[in-house]
Amino acid sequence: MSRIDVHHHLLPPPYTRWLRGHGIHQAGGRELPEWSPERSLALMDAQRIGSAVLSLSTPGVHLGDDKAARTIARQVNDYAAARVADHPDRFGFFATLPLPDLDGALAEAEYALDELAADGVALLANASGTYLGDPVYEPLMALLDERAAVVHVHPTELPAPPMSGLPPYAADFLLDTTRAAMNLVLHDVPRRHPNLRIILAHGGGFLPYAAHRIAVALSGQTGRDRADLLADLSSFFFDTALTSSPTALPSLLAFARPGHVLYGSDWPFAPDPAVSYFTAFLDDHDALPAADQDRIDSGDARVLFPRLAKEQP
């Protein structure tokens, strides 16, 4: 059974040129990689990936100018939709939204979901220091809930200076995702918007490992029942990008609800050897039962992406 990759990046050439034109040559401490649809398909074939849901990575499209962010977001989404039209059996896409520009994000979400038939939206964990879950984003959460949208949450750099010698992608990204998950639960977003299907990148950062500690902290802060908080924290979906190691995967599988763990590669920011390294753990039948492997590879994703499921053998 071929895989459905829910964490697979694209870098449209105009977008990469735009970033470099603003002096941005790295993302999260990694050089901007080369990308093309052909390179994606080659990696997918090598890793038995039948379909991949394309998404933009950090830094997204908002560099301080709302108008420019709206323009670039539209270009990226039109480009992604065209690649899906070229390869409907191989690609889907998460729409890019120009947060923290809320009005622009609302308009682009409607356009991408209603006109382009995007498979969901991709949101950075924080936008200029404002984390998902903040009440300022409530209109967007309501719109996405109305459409029962799939939301892929990807980390970005923390709203704080990085530590010298420690690239943000190595650990800061994990904290960024964890902060977003905590803030979403703190503000009761999963319960108020039950139609949202929120995927946390990289196995949810530190969330599975620290969930009980987080629940105790949030319970003390809010007075809410710890069991309810743990239920909300485990209500997210999680992708396995860079997270299917022999130490991380058992924690993720022990914490996540059945059916909530999805395959992710993080290509091309995770280069081919890194993708092969982490995917090999999922192919180890001695460590992971075949039934669990099949569900992670594509079984759980088929529920979220029925169009892509139709294309899978």
Side-chain angles (χ1 to χ4, degrees):
M1 183 181 295
S2 57
R3 296 182 165 103
I4 296 177
D5 184 354
V6 305
H7 189 153
H8 194 108
H9 293 301
L10 83 164
L11 289 95
Y15 171 72
T16 302
R17 289 195 296 270
W18 178 73
L19 287 181
R20 295 190 188 281
H22 284 79
I24 297 174
H25 303 280
Q26 296 185 347
R30 295 195 64 85
E31 293 291 330
L32 296 175
E34 295 293 326
W35 179 87
S36 70
E38 294 74 22
R39 287 173 180 261
S40 272
L41 291 169
L43 181 281
M44 291 163 63
D45 290 343
Q47 297 298 334
R48 198 166 49 80
I49 298 169
S51 302
V53 187
L54 303 173
S55 61
L56 215 59
S57 184
T58 183
V61 296
H62 203 293
L63 302 181
D65 183 327
D66 285 355
K67 183 178 179 180
R70 294 182 187 190
T71 298
I72 297 300
R74 179 61 55 89
Q75 291 177 357
V76 168
N77 291 331
D78 285 343
Y79 181 93
R83 302 293 75 75
V84 173
D86 291 341
H87 302 280
D89 59 332
R90 304 302 304 273
F91 291 139
F93 84 100
F94 289 125
T96 296
L97 306 184
L99 289 179
D101 171 18
L102 179 61
D103 289 340
L106 289 167
E108 193 61 25
E110 289 184 336
Y111 171 73
L113 293 171
D114 298 346
E115 302 297 326
L116 299 181
D119 296 282
V121 302
L123 301 178
L124 295 177
N126 86 83
S128 301
T130 300
Y131 275 88
L132 297 178
D134 192 288
V136 71
Y137 293 149
E138 176 59 22
L140 178 61
M141 296 297 105
L143 182 151
L144 297 174
D145 182 70
E146 288 173 1
R147 287 163 172 76
V150 180
V151 179
H152 189 262
V153 176
H154 193 281
T156 186
E157 295 191 18
L158 297 173
M163 291 183 65
S164 177
L166 299 180
Y169 73 85
D172 290 0
F173 273 19
L174 303 179
L175 176 57
D176 197 51
T177 302
T178 305
R179 282 182 170 186
M182 290 178 64
N183 207 44
L184 286 162
V185 170
L186 177 65
H187 292 282
D188 215 19
V189 171
R191 287 182 182 258
R192 288 189 295 104
H193 299 295
N195 297 316
L196 289 178
R197 281 79 58 79
I198 301 174
I199 304 171
L200 301 180
H202 307 124
F206 301 128
L207 181 60
Y209 180 79
H212 285 261
R213 175 174 178 160
I214 290 169
V216 167
L218 292 180
S219 178
Q221 180 175 341
T222 65
R224 291 178 58 191
D225 182 74
R226 287 194 302 273
D228 289 344
L229 288 163
L230 281 169
D232 289 350
L233 292 168
S234 66
S235 71
F236 298 110
F237 290 79
F238 304 85
D239 76 47
T240 65
L242 306 178
T243 309
S244 52
S245 71
T247 51
L249 188 60
S251 179
L252 175 58
L253 292 175
F255 175 69
R257 293 183 184 179
H260 280 227
V261 179
L262 316 169
Y263 177 81
S265 70
D266 204 4
W267 191 86
F269 284 95
D272 293 35
V275 175
S276 296
Y277 177 76
F278 283 97
T279 300
F281 294 121
L282 296 175
D283 288 335
D284 184 352
H285 288 288
D286 291 334
L288 188 66
D292 288 341
Q293 179 185 340
D294 289 343
R295 290 177 60 180
I296 293 170
D297 279 352
S298 67
D300 294 349
R302 290 168 183 258
V303 178
L304 298 185
F305 306 103
R307 181 187 67 80
L308 295 179
K310 293 177 182 177
E311 309 295 343
Q312 296 296 302

